[in-house]
Amino acid sequence: KDNLWRARQTHTAMEIYPPSLDTASLYEVIVKDHDGTMEDPIPYTPPMEIFANKYYAEDGVTYRCTRDSGTALSHRLADLVVLYVEEVK
């Protein structure tokens, strides 16, 4: 669809299990056309791994990641404030 996906583990792709939030154990979204800076934040689209000191945008709000997630996350960034991100004012 509109996203670039990476397989998180070796598996046999099946048409009935396409990349989506429902198959987050198999796939994660990656974004290559944004820098992750304050001026060019990465559009956050779960499931997505986030990285320290990169900026992400969701629902019109920009967040700075405070630590690597180490795995793809499926929650909204607003729910991850303090754990992984801080809202940028």
Side-chain angles (χ1 to χ4, degrees):
K1 298 185 181 189
D2 294 332
N3 295 317
L4 180 60
W5 295 85
R6 173 182 21 227
R8 299 186 66 215
Q9 59 182 313
T10 302
H11 68 281
T12 300
M14 299 176 71
E15 194 170 322
I16 61 171
Y17 299 115
S20 72
L21 190 54
D22 295 330
T23 56
S25 64
L26 298 174
Y27 304 102
E28 65 182 305
V29 174
I30 57 173
V31 176
K32 291 189 171 216
D33 55 349
H34 291 274
D35 295 329
T37 61
M38 179 84 161
E39 297 76 24
D40 187 23
I42 298 166
Y44 178 72
T45 308
M48 178 184 275
E49 184 173 1
I50 60 175
F51 300 94
N53 300 312
K54 294 284 186 180
Y55 290 82
Y56 296 85
E58 182 183 43
D59 298 331
V61 179
T62 300
Y63 299 88
R64 186 181 74 82
C65 181
T66 56
R67 67 181 181 114
D68 294 346
S69 64
T71 190
L73 302 172
S74 58
H75 295 78
R76 296 179 62 244
L77 289 178
D79 298 330
L80 298 173
V81 171
V82 178
L83 294 173
Y84 289 105
V85 298
E86 61 187 12
E87 187 174 330
V88 177
K89 304 282 182 196

